[in-house]
Amino acid sequence: MADDSFTKGTKGFESFRKGAAYSLNTPQTVYAKDIVLVGGGHTHVLFIRRWKMKPLPDTRLTLISPQVYTPYSGMLPGLIAEHYTFEQTHIDLRRLCQWAGVRFIQDHVVDIDPNTQHLSLERYPQLNYDILSLDIGLTPDLSIPGAAEYAIPVKPIGDFFRQWQSLKQTVKAGQQSHYAIGIVGGGAGSIELAFATSYSLKYVTTHFTIHLFTASPYILSNYLPKTRQHVKHKLFLEQVCIHENFKVSNVCCSSIYDQHSKEVHLDKIFWCTHGKGGSWLKNTSLDLSEQGFVLVKDTLQTLKFDNIFAAGDVAHLTPEANAKAGVYAVRMAPVLFHNISAQLTGGRLKQFKPQQHFLSLLACGDKSAIGERVPFSFSGTWVWRWKDFLDRQFMKKFQQLSFNEMPSLINRYLHENTTPVMRCDGCGAKISQDILAETLQTIGVNDQAEDAVVIPWREANYLLQTVDQLRAFIDDPWLFGRIAVIHALSDIYAMGGKPHSVQVAITLPYQQPSSLKREFLLLMNGIQSELNQAECVLVGGHTAEGTELSVAVTVNGRRGLGKLWQKTGAKPGDVLILTKPLGTGVILAANKAAQAKGDRVERMLAMMLLSNQAAVPIVKKFQPHAVTDITGFGFLGHLLEMLKPEQLSVELDIAQLPVLEGATDLFRYGWQSTLQTANENNRHYLYEANQWLKEAHYPLLFDPQTSGGLLIAVSEDVANECLNALQVDYPQAAIVGKILPKREQTTTTVHLKK
């Protein structure tokens, strides 16, 4: 127990205050101010690139977005027409933020309080800001009766793309003889969507008609007459029916009606009209336009709050409104970056002056395009090649991210047996199993310990105690605090116990008191939320300042119903079940260098947040013979702890190991945790290991896990029933091997099969 622990009640929190450490050699303050960007629009992603080149001193930058991938709208038609893949048309926000040293939070903002300068989020605790910027795009205006129920809005693009893929599969299946598709809107986006859908569907069926509806007297009302002529001719060739002066008054499941009750029968309706601001903005103190957009001055500051900015489609310039076009969002980025910097440093702000005319290139589906730059209008395949080049150059800024601080893949580690350039975090930061065992033996301590210490306590009851420490592997104190607790409690669950109380020892990075308070509150909110979920009490702790965030958790537990589980005790014929997938070590290593895909990191974090708590009552029903959890020493290291004391051997089905998506690819590209090499010292227990070196799952045997799953040995006759019960909460749980009959062998051997 810590010497400044306490028994119960708020009195004990004195230990946190006592734990603060100060030194004459304390480095310069890291963070004093917080800039928060809400939304991953074009302006903000370009802002982040500029931040990478020239970050403001003593200032933290955070991006909040509900999506990990943000689309580049200029390439959406090419995605629909299948000229581009999803990855080519989307910016990976998590990876971009990791590369630029920006904190990323995946969540929805639901309110802003400009007076207290904090944000309310859907899941995340309240977040404070010093400077706030909004770039959240627009929301489809589905106010026309029936539109919300029966129309498919083009934004959010991710939702629309899934609907489009589903429609295409339906058409391909040929469930009806003819399909009528309606597109509501007469602007550039609607035109490009009509061309792209027509082009794409031609490869599936010729039995379809596309209808284009606009309330204006003609399509592309803001374009040159010659450009409209080019577009209309091209639409005619594509057999797209144009309905001008068609003001939609009502939408139903199979039809659309105009102001004169004229009906057009449609199987699907895509909604591509002008949008409005997010509905949640109405509850804030911000000044809004009639359409719900944020009113801003030419400095991009809101009218009443100089420390709140807005850019992109959600911004409405006053006194003269700007058009909603990607080109304006792009050109707002340097002004926004300069003005936010100036607002913090007391500099002079710049004015944003939207240009009157700009280059507009409309993709026509078939790798031709129509363009204009007043007073010129032009068309042809060369225009498509020009547009394709410009779009790819823009996306290249966000997809080919050089990490100058990191060496190349080949040279990122120094010569063998020297200190790696980049040390891993999480459970990949452990001391190797060999060094630990040798050191404990030297001082006369048994290294064959259980997952938690068992202390006899009062009339045949037992106190369980364990300690775990993690160095932060993600720049999100709330999320990290949650995972640190889940990881630590796992040792108690691995023995079939129930957590009772914890103490935490926290090291926070050096920063100004106001910023330190914000970070500490986020961290403790995360810790407390998971302790509440586990019905476990925080009874004490210790704090200090240091160079990086780390959390150590000491857990006290008690025996639940039934006997305690142990690592040892597996019997020949037992079946091995693993509850959670492997691969956290390699994904964390790649993510540290911004080389892991954002959706892969999100799935890894979701797995880490999946506690082993729910597995305990399930597994107890099947009376396991041995249980342990898989953490820093990797799957093989912890499996050997189960086998070696009783000299058991096992047949392991390497192909059945559950794996996090992307982990095997990262191994193939050369990534691995810094603890991987030390864990590979156990490979001599593998029978004919050299035969398996090229097997994709082989490196996963040694990959250090953070918040890993349980490895369970149960009788063969109940294994499938146990697995089925576990898969309700742990869908990737799998049977991975079987304990072999005990023969005359004197050493433990792991036989691999596929």
Side-chain angles (χ1 to χ4, degrees):
M1 295 286 186
D3 58 3
D4 58 354
S5 62
F6 55 87
T7 53
K8 60 181 179 179
T10 57
K11 179 180 178 182
F13 278 86
E14 290 293 327
S15 60
F16 283 110
R17 291 191 286 273
K18 292 177 184 176
Y22 298 93
S23 169
L24 294 175
N25 297 318
T26 298
Q28 184 179 356
T29 301
V30 178
Y31 293 124
K33 298 289 184 180
D34 278 289
I35 301 172
V36 178
L37 308 179
V38 178
H42 296 1
T43 309
H44 278 175
V45 295
L46 287 165
F47 185 105
I48 291 171
R49 271 197 62 88
R50 287 176 175 267
W51 181 270
K52 167 67 175 175
M53 310 305 171
K54 192 178 179 181
L56 293 179
D58 305 335
T59 305
R60 178 191 292 109
L61 180 63
T62 299
L63 174 68
I64 304 172
S65 170
Q67 295 92 22
V68 174
Y69 289 97
T70 189
Y72 174 46
S73 56
M75 297 178 81
L76 174 63
L79 176 65
I80 300 299
E82 299 185 16
H83 300 318
Y84 306 118
T85 65
F86 181 89
E87 288 188 0
Q88 288 175 317
T89 59
H90 285 71
I91 298 169
D92 186 337
L93 293 178
R94 178 171 283 285
R95 181 170 173 245
L96 175 67
C97 288
Q98 182 72 22
W99 170 76
V102 175
R103 176 172 292 173
F104 177 74
I105 296 173
Q106 186 184 5
D107 206 348
H108 292 266
V109 173
V110 296
D111 197 11
I112 302 169
D113 188 335
N115 297 316
T116 60
Q117 296 187 181
H118 76 249
L119 301 172
S120 297
L121 285 73
E122 204 168 77
R123 298 179 298 109
Y124 207 84
Q126 281 189 350
L127 199 67
N128 290 88
Y129 65 85
D130 296 293
I131 299 288
L132 176 67
S133 178
L134 304 175
D135 183 15
I136 57 176
L138 49 79
T139 301
D141 186 353
L142 301 172
S143 57
I144 291 175
E149 292 81 8
Y150 302 113
I152 301 171
V154 174
K155 292 187 177 182
I157 290 175
D159 295 341
F160 167 75
F161 185 60
R162 284 187 287 273
Q163 293 265 21
W164 161 251
Q165 289 177 308
S166 175
L167 170 62
K168 193 170 180 181
Q169 288 300 318
T170 301
V171 173
K172 189 175 182 179
Q175 296 176 359
Q176 61 189 63
S177 59
H178 190 273
Y179 290 87
I181 298 169
I183 299 174
V184 179
S190 304
I191 302 300
E192 289 190 299
L193 182 59
F195 282 130
T197 53
S198 175
Y199 178 84
S200 183
L201 288 176
K202 282 180 183 178
Y203 289 90
V204 178
T205 180
T206 57
H207 304 295
F208 68 90
T209 303
I210 294 177
H211 297 265
L212 186 65
F213 303 92
T214 178
S216 300
Y218 36 76
I219 60 173
L220 297 175
S221 56
N222 295 325
Y223 280 68
L224 295 171
K226 188 175 182 180
T227 303
R228 287 200 297 271
Q229 183 180 352
H230 281 148
V231 170
K232 280 193 170 184
H233 177 67
K234 187 73 173 178
L235 289 171
F236 172 77
L237 295 178
E238 294 295 321
Q239 298 181 332
V240 175
C241 300
I242 302 173
H243 303 262
E244 295 172 326
N245 284 312
F246 193 106
K247 297 179 181 179
V248 179
S249 63
N250 193 27
V251 179
C252 69
C253 62
S254 60
S255 298
I256 193 169
Y257 299 86
D258 73 354
Q259 69 274 29
H260 306 298
S261 298
K262 177 184 176 182
E263 180 183 10
V264 179
H265 290 282
L266 299 168
D267 296 297
K268 287 290 181 182
I269 302 168
F270 296 148
W271 207 260
C272 197
T273 62
H274 296 299
K276 60 181 181 179
S279 58
W280 65 272
L281 290 170
K282 297 177 183 177
N283 301 322
T284 69
S285 304
L286 302 178
D287 294 298
L288 306 178
S289 70
E290 290 183 8
Q291 294 78 30
F293 299 117
V294 179
L295 297 179
V296 296
K297 297 176 282 190
D298 57 8
T299 57
L300 303 181
Q301 293 167 297
T302 57
L303 301 189
K304 288 190 296 195
F305 307 102
D306 286 346
N307 67 333
I308 301 180
F309 294 74
D313 286 348
V314 78
H316 186 96
L317 284 171
T318 56
E320 187 175 345
N322 54 300
K324 306 301 180 187
V327 64
Y328 292 128
V330 169
R331 298 198 175 192
M332 284 178 178
V335 177
L336 181 69
F337 187 86
H338 172 87
N339 287 354
I340 285 180
S341 302
Q343 183 68 21
L344 280 175
T345 59
R348 186 175 180 179
L349 277 64
K350 290 182 177 180
Q351 294 178 321
F352 173 70
K353 298 178 181 179
Q355 63 197 95
Q356 187 175 0
H357 303 295
F358 54 86
L359 175 67
S360 179
L361 303 175
L362 306 178
C364 296
D366 58 354
K367 291 194 175 182
S368 68
I370 299 168
E372 76 166 36
R373 177 66 167 88
V374 176
F376 304 105
S377 180
F378 36 85
S379 62
T381 55
W382 68 271
V383 183
W384 158 264
R385 291 194 296 272
W386 186 16
K387 173 177 168 55
D388 177 61
F389 172 78
L390 294 175
D391 288 340
R392 288 181 186 271
Q393 286 298 109
F394 179 81
M395 291 299 291
K396 188 177 180 180
K397 298 176 183 178
F398 306 100
Q399 293 174 338
Q400 296 183 12
L401 303 177
S402 62
F403 208 93
N404 296 329
E405 294 82 357
M406 295 292 172
S408 67
L409 288 178
I410 298 174
N411 298 317
R412 76 180 186 282
Y413 295 115
L414 296 177
H415 191 269
E416 189 176 357
N417 296 326
T418 64
T419 303
V421 174
M422 181 184 70
R423 302 300 299 182
C424 288
D425 303 310
C427 244
K430 272 189 174 182
I431 293 174
S432 74
Q433 198 171 22
D434 288 346
I435 293 175
L436 177 63
E438 184 178 338
T439 302
L440 292 177
Q441 288 172 4
T442 300
I443 64 172
V445 175
N446 177 22
D447 68 321
Q448 297 297 327
E450 291 294 335
D451 290 303
V453 177
V454 181
I455 304 172
W457 192 262
R458 293 183 185 174
E459 300 178 0
N461 286 323
Y462 295 94
L463 172 68
L464 305 178
Q465 193 173 85
T466 182
V467 61
D468 258 297
Q469 185 262 345
L470 292 178
R471 190 168 66 220
F473 50 82
I474 185 170
D475 183 21
D476 184 334
W478 179 70
L479 202 56
F480 173 63
R482 294 178 62 196
I483 293 171
V485 169
I486 291 170
H487 177 82
L489 297 182
S490 180
D491 283 337
I492 302 297
Y493 296 135
M495 297 192 70
K498 182 175 176 57
H500 173 271
S501 55
V502 307
Q503 293 195 78
V504 293
I506 294 169
T507 301
L508 286 160
Y510 301 107
Q511 50 203 306
Q512 288 279 16
S514 60
S515 184
L516 182 74
K517 181 179 178 181
R518 293 175 183 179
E519 293 294 282
F520 187 41
L521 181 59
L522 285 173
L523 179 69
M524 292 307 299
N525 270 325
I527 288 171
Q528 190 61 53
S529 68
E530 292 303 328
L531 291 178
N532 290 342
Q533 185 68 28
E535 298 180 339
C536 187
V537 182
L538 177 62
V539 295
H542 183 87
T543 58
E545 288 184 285
T547 57
E548 55 192 353
L549 175 62
S550 68
V551 173
V553 184
T554 301
V555 188
N556 299 312
R558 59 181 184 269
R559 182 177 67 178
L561 297 175
K563 68 176 185 178
L564 290 173
W565 300 335
Q566 294 179 297
K567 292 180 182 179
T568 56
K571 303 179 184 301
D574 278 357
V575 169
L576 297 177
I577 298 174
L578 180 61
T579 60
K580 293 166 68 174
L582 305 171
T584 65
V586 67
I587 294 175
L588 286 176
N591 182 59
K592 192 163 187 176
Q595 297 302 315
K597 295 179 180 179
D599 60 334
R600 310 297 200 260
V601 176
E602 289 300 321
R603 291 189 184 102
M604 175 197 69
L605 293 172
M607 188 281 295
M608 288 180 172
L609 289 168
L610 181 59
S611 170
N612 287 320
Q613 180 181 10
V616 176
I618 296 171
V619 175
K620 280 193 173 182
K621 296 177 183 177
F622 301 96
Q623 299 180 353
H625 297 145
V627 181
T628 190
D629 61 337
I630 308 301
T631 54
F633 298 143
F635 177 83
L636 183 60
H638 291 287
L639 172 63
L640 290 171
E641 290 178 337
M642 186 181 282
L643 302 175
K644 285 168 62 178
E646 299 180 50
Q647 297 181 342
L648 295 172
S649 293
V650 66
E651 182 182 65
L652 195 64
D653 191 340
I654 194 169
Q656 292 303 310
L657 290 174
V659 183
L660 286 166
E661 186 176 358
T664 54
D665 290 336
L666 290 171
F667 275 120
R668 191 171 68 251
Y669 298 149
W671 290 100
Q672 65 178 40
S673 168
T674 47
L675 193 56
Q676 178 90 8
T677 301
N679 286 348
E680 287 177 353
N681 290 335
N682 285 319
R683 63 181 176 269
H684 64 273
Y685 288 99
L686 299 175
Y687 181 72
E688 296 183 346
N690 290 340
Q691 295 184 11
W692 299 91
L693 296 180
K694 294 183 179 180
E695 167 60 38
H697 285 191
Y698 176 81
L700 289 158
L701 296 173
F702 314 102
D703 187 57
Q705 303 305 294
T706 301
S707 190
L710 297 180
L711 180 62
I712 307 155
V714 294
S715 298
E716 185 175 16
D717 58 344
V718 299
N720 286 323
E721 187 180 354
C722 180
L723 176 65
N724 292 336
L726 283 167
Q727 285 179 334
V728 174
D729 295 295
Y730 306 90
Q732 288 188 263
I735 291 175
V736 297
K738 187 175 182 179
I739 306 294
L740 295 174
K742 203 163 186 180
R743 298 189 176 91
E744 295 182 358
Q745 79 268 16
T746 57
T747 59
T748 293
T749 305
V750 177
H751 299 264
L752 300 179
K753 77 167 189 175
K754 183 179 178 182

